Amino acid sequence: MKKRLLLIGCVLMMSTAAVACSSTNQSTEAKQETTSMDNSQAQGGESAVQDASSATKMPEFKTKTTEGEEITSDVFKKSKLTVVNLWGSWCQPCVEEIPELQKLYENMKDKGVNVIGVAQDGDTELDAVKEIIAQDNVTYTNIIPDEDGPLKGFVMSSQLFPNTFLVDSEGNIVANITGGQDLEGFTKAVEDALAKLN
């Protein structure tokens, strides 16, 4: 009996660890696909990048940055392409890819590419979010989803974190990157998207 309980306990612990950054209502199949940063994703694997087959748009929003400044969805009009990264302070793969996004921002901002972080828990864990941003010397904008607004709904409908969307100047989502990525993976996805936009 003790062995059986021990075995059940081990299985439960392993399954909990495997879905650490996935949404609680996520399907089993999706959970298996999107746990933490696996080898293919960490090395810029292409399997995590999907073209948006339909003209899905980012929701219009009016909210604040983590620094308290107002920001709206008009921000997309200022760049050819915006990398929108959904993340949470509780999600280790999210935190691990923030320095990679900072490098991407530094490398691509002169090419008309912007990076925006959307801190899923910025409304409840702002201190933790700001600490991570400061720790990684992040200079790209991070925003807090508008409470009960369309952006919050969009973020909460995400079945996994990190989740990154490539958005054109009209707010259309042109590609989706699921799971953690490194600089190489982000750069390839951005360059592919830019090539299709030109």
Side-chain angles (χ1 to χ4, degrees):
M1 185 68 173
K2 287 183 179 179
K3 287 182 180 178
R4 183 174 289 166
L5 288 173
L6 182 61
L7 180 62
I8 291 170
C10 288
V11 169
L12 287 173
M13 284 174 37
M14 288 170 57
S15 62
T16 302
V19 295
C21 287
S22 58
S23 174
T24 54
N25 64 353
Q26 189 175 1
S27 69
T28 305
E29 301 86 41
K31 284 178 184 175
Q32 291 170 348
E33 290 173 10
T34 60
T35 53
S36 61
M37 188 185 299
D38 64 26
N39 287 340
S40 66
Q41 292 169 330
Q43 295 170 6
E46 296 174 39
S47 61
V49 181
Q50 299 171 347
D51 286 337
S53 54
S54 62
T56 310
K57 287 186 85 85
M58 284 293 293
E60 291 190 17
F61 61 85
K62 180 178 181 181
T63 189
K64 292 192 175 182
T65 69
T66 53
E67 299 304 314
E69 298 170 4
E70 286 199 353
I71 188 169
T72 71
S73 46
D74 286 344
V75 70
F76 300 125
K77 295 176 182 175
K78 298 175 182 175
S79 305
K80 287 183 195 173
L81 192 72
T82 303
V83 178
V84 179
N85 177 252
L86 310 186
W87 69 284
S89 65
W90 46 267
C91 170
Q92 191 59 37
C94 300
V95 174
E96 288 173 0
E97 73 176 3
I98 287 175
E100 304 299 292
L101 287 161
Q102 177 61 33
K103 291 176 199 167
L104 178 76
Y105 175 66
E106 290 167 5
N107 293 348
M108 303 293 282
K109 62 184 176 182
D110 292 336
K111 297 178 182 177
V113 177
N114 191 17
V115 176
I116 293 178
V118 181
Q120 178 266 334
D121 56 342
D123 54 345
T124 58
E125 300 293 334
L126 185 57
D127 288 343
V129 166
K130 283 184 165 186
E131 185 178 332
I132 291 165
I133 291 169
Q135 210 170 27
D136 290 323
N137 299 312
V138 173
T139 58
Y140 62 84
T141 301
N142 274 270
I143 64 176
I144 302 167
D146 43 346
E147 189 177 343
D148 299 324
L151 183 59
K152 183 74 166 185
F154 179 79
V155 171
M156 297 312 290
S157 71
S158 178
Q159 293 294 304
L160 56 103
F161 292 85
N163 200 353
T164 304
F165 297 89
L166 304 186
V167 182
D168 70 13
S169 61
E170 295 181 11
N172 298 308
I173 297 171
V174 297
N176 180 208
I177 306 169
T178 56
Q181 280 288 334
D182 63 2
L183 177 61
E184 182 184 351
F186 279 127
T187 301
K188 184 179 186 317
V190 166
E191 287 177 346
D192 288 350
L194 285 173
K196 288 174 185 173
L197 291 175
N198 290 335

